[in-house]
Amino acid sequence: MAEKRDYYEVLGVKKDASADEIKKAYRRVTKENHPDLHPGDKAAEERFKEANEAYEVLSDDEKRKKYDQFGHAAFDPNAGFGGGGFGGFSGGFGDFSDLFSSFGDIFGFGGGGGQTRNPNAPRRGDNIRTQLNISFEEAAFGCEKELNIPRIEPCTDCKGTGCAPGTTPEVCPDCGGSGQVRTTQRTPFGMAQTMSACPKCHGSGKIIHQPCKTCRGMGSVRRAKKMTVKVPAGIDDGQTISRQGAGNAGANGGPAGDLLITVIVRPHAIFERDGTSILMEQDISFAQAALGAEVEVPTLDGKVKLTIPEGTQPGAVFRLKGKGVPYLRGSGRGDQFVSVNVRIPKNMNSTQKEALRHYAETMGEEHSKGSGIFGKKKR
């Protein structure tokens, strides 16, 4: 198997390239090697796939950091780095500290006005944030994607209690279940009282004598959960899909957090998007612009006929109604706008040149009689 090229080399950018530079480079490479423009060219097809793979990594901040640190090994499951985002519990889902709330939240510290927080009160789980890379067409028409999300779930063996089956926790005798103890100390200004975490139960308010072997007394475990996410038609780059209750499990019976999926839309080789409008450029010949023609132009729905009227000027824009992106909310679609570029012929043969000279003479225009810039001019 051939060794993979460096992703920055694939896109032709420097390692400190900005996100915008990477996006522009990806668009350039894919446009140059798009299968629609090079039918049957296996080399171009491979370069196109290679560019897609490189962009998927370099357009994602977390994946890019991993790649910069470990190279291709960061995404090799046999390399020990957790290529899919499981190694070190990273990749947009938070590190292992996600398994716990902040120290003060767990043990109930910091209560104002002498109030203490119940360490066993229900607490909502943390949100999970991740990214989803989709194609231009998938964003336009919608799709369903299966994600493998590592998240915190209640332990099924102990039902979230943290105790081995058949056992129950003991209320801490030192703090009475509050998780805090009051300490009185003599200071130069008199006696002072402070509240601190109970050393016996470590602020939990309970003591587990026989911890659950599956979760080791935590009451929750981290598992990979397969989820099918429905991407709505018309979604745009950078927008977020929310799955309520699909985040990390809450504590003590509290509700789960949400799953927040930020959509990254890969640039298209031909089309650009502006809201619900699609923009593209179409090359036509000088003769087609002057005499008029009917040309085929690509759309999201396939190729359609576009009538070029006689005397069309370079940069003229034509509108294809209803060929844009579907509205994200509501029915209907935007439009597609086609800007024409008039190609100036190169390497004409003698017959073509003579015909063009004849045209210039009938128009009373000056032109070069011979070839090159030193040819004589005539009217």
Side-chain angles (χ1 to χ4, degrees), residues 222-263:
R222 183 179 287 270
R223 290 194 181 99
K225 174 80 172 180
K226 284 188 177 181
M227 300 181 188
T228 300
V229 178
K230 187 174 182 180
V231 180
I235 198 164
D236 208 347
D237 183 62
Q239 291 184 321
T240 299
I241 300 170
S242 176
R243 284 281 302 270
Q244 191 172 4
N248 288 327
N252 304 321
D258 299 334
L259 173 62
L260 305 175
I261 307 161
T262 300
V263 174

Side-chain angles (χ1 to χ4, degrees), residues 192-209:
Q193 291 186 339
T194 58
M195 298 293 291
S196 59
C198 175
K200 190 173 185 67
C201 65
H202 306 291
S204 67
K206 57 188 178 182
I207 299 174
I208 298 175
H209 295 288

Side-chain angles (χ1 to χ4, degrees), residues 57-372:
V57 171
L58 299 184
S59 63
D60 184 315
D61 290 340
E62 290 295 329
K63 289 181 181 179
R64 185 177 179 182
K65 287 178 184 176
K66 287 184 180 181
Y67 179 73
D68 288 343
Q69 187 173 3
F70 302 112
H72 293 295
F75 309 100
D76 182 355
N78 299 318
F81 296 109
F86 293 86
F89 302 113
S90 58
F93 305 108
D95 55 23
F96 191 70
S97 62
D98 284 347
L99 193 58
F100 312 102
S101 299
S102 66
F103 191 79
D105 286 342
I106 280 186
F107 299 134
F109 298 158
Q115 296 179 347
T116 60
R117 180 182 297 176
N118 182 359
N120 298 312
R123 294 195 304 276
R124 184 181 183 275
D126 292 333
N127 293 336
I128 295 175
R129 296 180 181 273
T130 187
Q131 292 183 336
L132 175 63
N133 283 271
I134 61 175
S135 69
F136 192 93
E137 291 83 357
E138 287 172 331
F141 295 124
C143 61
E144 286 190 355
K145 292 288 186 179
E146 190 174 82
L147 298 180
N148 210 25
I149 305 295
R151 67 174 190 173
I152 297 168
E153 298 181 347
C155 176
T156 54
D157 289 351
C158 67
K159 305 297 187 296
T161 64
C163 299
T167 66
T168 56
E170 175 193 357
V171 175
C172 177
D174 287 14
C175 65
S178 68
Q180 294 181 325
V181 291
R182 190 184 303 274
T183 304
T184 303
Q185 293 179 319
R186 184 183 298 277
T187 71
F189 305 100
M191 302 298 291
Q193 291 186 339
T194 58
M195 298 293 291
S196 59
C198 175
K200 190 173 185 67
C201 65
H202 306 291
S204 67
K206 57 188 178 182
I207 299 174
I208 298 175
H209 295 288
Q210 293 178 275
C212 171
K213 293 181 179 179
T214 303
C215 66
R216 299 179 181 178
M218 294 303 303
S220 58
V221 293
R222 183 179 287 270
R223 290 194 181 99
K225 174 80 172 180
K226 284 188 177 181
M227 300 181 188
T228 300
V229 178
K230 187 174 182 180
V231 180
I235 198 164
D236 208 347
D237 183 62
Q239 291 184 321
T240 299
I241 300 170
S242 176
R243 284 281 302 270
Q244 191 172 4
N248 288 327
N252 304 321
D258 299 334
L259 173 62
L260 305 175
I261 307 161
T262 300
V263 174
I264 305 298
V265 181
R266 295 191 294 271
H268 198 275
I270 300 172
F271 303 129
E272 288 188 12
R273 180 171 171 179
D274 183 8
T276 58
S277 298
I278 289 180
L279 315 176
M280 67 159 293
E281 296 179 352
Q282 176 70 32
D283 289 343
I284 61 174
S285 69
F286 173 77
Q288 288 173 323
L291 303 175
E294 193 175 63
V295 298
E296 280 191 338
V297 297
T299 71
L300 288 176
D301 305 301
K303 292 184 177 180
V304 300
K305 297 285 187 181
L306 174 64
T307 300
I308 304 296
E310 182 179 324
T312 292
Q313 300 299 307
V317 178
F318 297 92
R319 175 186 177 191
L320 297 175
K321 191 173 182 180
K323 292 298 182 182
V325 176
Y327 296 117
L328 184 59
R329 295 176 181 84
S331 59
R333 293 172 60 174
D335 302 326
Q336 179 170 325
F337 295 90
V338 183
S339 175
V340 295
N341 294 323
V342 179
R343 296 192 307 270
I344 304 301
K346 295 181 179 179
N347 303 319
M348 294 186 294
N349 58 37
S350 58
T351 303
Q352 293 167 335
K353 289 179 181 179
E354 188 59 36
L356 196 55
R357 289 191 189 102
H358 178 69
Y359 163 78
E361 289 172 0
T362 61
M363 298 295 292
E365 296 176 350
E366 290 186 350
H367 64 86
S368 174
K369 183 176 180 181
S371 60

Side-chain angles (χ1 to χ4, degrees), residues 28-35 37-38 43-45 47-48:
R28 173 181 53 76
V29 174
T30 51
K31 187 172 184 178
E32 290 173 354
N33 299 281
H34 200 283
L37 304 178
H38 304 278
E45 184 179 347
R47 289 192 295 270
F48 181 80

Side-chain angles (χ1 to χ4, degrees), residues 5-43:
R5 286 203 297 154
D6 179 79
Y7 285 152
Y8 293 99
E9 180 186 340
V10 169
L11 297 183
V13 296
K14 297 180 180 179
K15 287 195 174 183
D16 59 352
S18 66
D20 189 53
E21 289 173 332
I22 288 172
K23 189 172 185 177
K24 287 180 180 178
Y26 167 77
R27 178 176 169 78
R28 173 181 53 76
V29 174
T30 51
K31 187 172 184 178
E32 290 173 354
N33 299 281
H34 200 283
D36 290 347
L37 304 178
H38 304 278
D41 189 338
K42 293 294 182 183

